[in-house]
Amino acid sequence: MQGETTNFPNEMHTIEDFQAFHRWLDAQKGFATDIFLNMTMLSGEIGEVAQVLKQVYFMIDPAHTDQEVKTLEEALTIHRENLGQELADCLAYIFKLANYTGVDLQQAYLEKMAKNLHRTWKYQAEEE
């Protein structure tokens, strides 16, 4: 992909732009818009993220490798590109599901994070 020029149909700077891109891509490619199928596809992609993270874990845990144990950062460096690809796939399905269910994901995210600013979690670490 490096060195390739890609012409996207919009600037793709905001969540709204990403959702618009996926509406366009679905129309261009004729992708299935069934919410249940796409949720299943997202679940599969989450499993692929877990598989990459399992590989990272096996590289940093002496009990799981017969090779030189890596630091977390070394293992992540080795797997970062693949991890990024799998996380991007997850994000794409999240945008698609928001589109198919009529959710303005940008607005929903802003509203939820505003609530989180004032929320405390019972497992939250105590302030020192």
Side-chain angles (χ1 to χ4, degrees):
M1 185 89 180
Q2 199 171 26
E4 250 181 66
T5 302
T6 303
N7 294 319
F8 292 109
N10 65 29
E11 293 295 317
M12 303 236 294
H13 292 294
T14 66
I15 294 172
E16 184 178 72
D17 292 341
F18 292 122
Q19 281 190 251
F21 168 75
H22 282 283
R23 283 190 292 274
W24 174 85
L25 188 62
D26 284 349
Q28 291 293 310
K29 302 292 184 180
F31 290 148
T33 60
D34 180 272
I35 60 174
F36 305 107
L37 171 63
N38 279 273
M39 184 61 222
T40 301
M41 300 298 284
L42 172 59
S43 297
E45 294 299 338
I46 291 169
E48 290 180 20
V49 170
Q51 289 299 316
V52 175
L53 290 176
K54 181 174 79 172
Q55 292 172 355
V56 168
Y57 178 75
F58 285 174
M59 294 177 82
I60 68 171
D61 182 21
H64 286 95
T65 185
D66 56 0
Q67 299 183 8
E68 178 187 346
V69 174
K70 305 280 189 210
T71 66
L72 176 58
E73 188 51 44
E74 289 170 333
L76 285 170
T77 297
I78 292 166
H79 291 284
R80 188 165 283 121
E81 183 176 346
N82 194 23
L83 182 59
Q85 294 292 311
E86 300 306 340
L87 287 168
D89 286 342
C90 291
L91 191 55
Y93 280 107
I94 290 170
F95 292 137
K96 291 162 70 74
L97 285 166
N99 285 344
Y100 307 155
T101 58
V103 171
D104 177 338
L105 195 55
Q106 186 161 311
Q107 187 61 38
Y109 181 83
L110 291 172
E111 289 172 7
K112 179 62 176 175
M113 292 307 107
K115 285 181 184 178
N116 284 351
L117 285 174
H118 306 290
R119 179 179 170 196
T120 55
W121 288 263
K122 62 182 173 181
Y123 56 83
Q124 188 172 352
E126 294 292 322
E127 299 272 333
E128 292 182 31

